[in-house]
Amino acid sequence: MNTQLILHYLTELSNHNEREWYHAHKAEYREANAEFEALVQELILKIGKFDSSVLHNQPKDLTFKLVRDTRFSHDKSPYNPAFRAHISSMGKLPVPVGYYLMIKPGGQSFLGGGLFADMFKEATAMVRDYIAANGREWEEILENPDFRKHFTVQGTALKNVPAGYDKEHPQAEFLKYKSWYLEYPLEDAGVADGEEFAEHAASIFRIMKPFNDYLNKALVNFRMPERKK
């Protein structure tokens, strides 16, 4: 798990974000990607000690491509210089929620969890309904000292509590949200030692687990929309 090699490759890609450079350095990409998959495998095993639902996953099925979709972006650089993975019981699908990892040089790396996909209106409604009915459990998770030390719930939100929900609900602020997620930022130095990083990441993910479990109970009947053919 040579995470320094990963950081070096991604830094070079960031400095030469063009197709010609990328294709001329495919060997370096393969080396860095192999190291990232080794890291993901180690995380699967460490997470599996407290969440066995992830143990069946293969690293290559959990990672995301470097290629960017530039069709609707002002930034036309072809690659996102980041290695990313989502580890959950159903692989890298956004639901059920799991443990997200992004390594991106320049202090842009982070560990994540929760529901990032606010484009799924059904998922948003399910979580709102669950918070409305189970607000005490939500509050207990967020008030846990370890959780408060490391996380603040983030997500896009409406200005007002949506229609159909009690504006005076104790968790009214969270009923405004369309997504509920966590981000734990990482400096490059915190990623540079692969063994130490994997151990630290697993400890952060362990603290995150009750939050993920709560959302997954809310989303138990969610089905991913079928892609249009």
Side-chain angles (χ1 to χ4, degrees), residues 13-25:
L13 178 61
S14 180
N15 292 334
H16 306 88
N17 200 329
E18 52 202 28
R19 290 180 176 85
E20 294 78 10
W21 188 93
Y22 174 79
H23 288 291
H25 294 79

Side-chain angles (χ1 to χ4, degrees), residues 118-131:
D118 58 353
M119 73 287 289
F120 299 136
K121 294 181 179 180
E122 183 183 357
T124 294
M126 286 179 167
V127 175
R128 281 180 180 152
D129 288 348
Y130 198 80
I131 293 175

Side-chain angles (χ1 to χ4, degrees), residues 204-219:
I204 296 298
F205 286 144
R206 183 191 287 269
I207 298 168
M208 191 183 290
K209 184 178 184 293
F211 180 82
N212 282 349
D213 289 347
Y214 183 95
L215 293 178
N216 282 332
K217 284 187 285 186
L219 296 165

Side-chain angles (χ1 to χ4, degrees), residues 88-102:
S88 82
S89 61
M90 291 291 287
K92 67 179 181 181
L93 293 174
V95 179
V97 306
Y99 312 93
Y100 184 81
L101 163 66
M102 182 171 84

Side-chain angles (χ1 to χ4, degrees), residues 76-151:
K76 297 302 180 182
S77 54
Y79 305 106
N80 178 14
F83 280 136
R84 301 170 293 145
H86 183 244
I87 306 169
S88 82
S89 61
M90 291 291 287
K92 67 179 181 181
L93 293 174
V95 179
V97 306
Y99 312 93
Y100 184 81
L101 163 66
M102 182 171 84
I103 295 182
K104 190 171 186 177
Q108 299 178 77
S109 303
F110 72 92
L111 306 173
L115 183 69
F116 289 81
D118 58 353
M119 73 287 289
F120 299 136
K121 294 181 179 180
E122 183 183 357
T124 294
M126 286 179 167
V127 175
R128 281 180 180 152
D129 288 348
Y130 198 80
I131 293 175
N134 301 276
R136 181 66 181 274
E137 182 184 354
W138 176 258
E139 184 176 353
E140 288 175 355
I141 292 169
L142 271 56
E143 290 300 315
N144 177 279
D146 277 346
F147 186 94
R148 292 183 64 183
K149 179 181 177 181
H150 293 92
F151 305 120

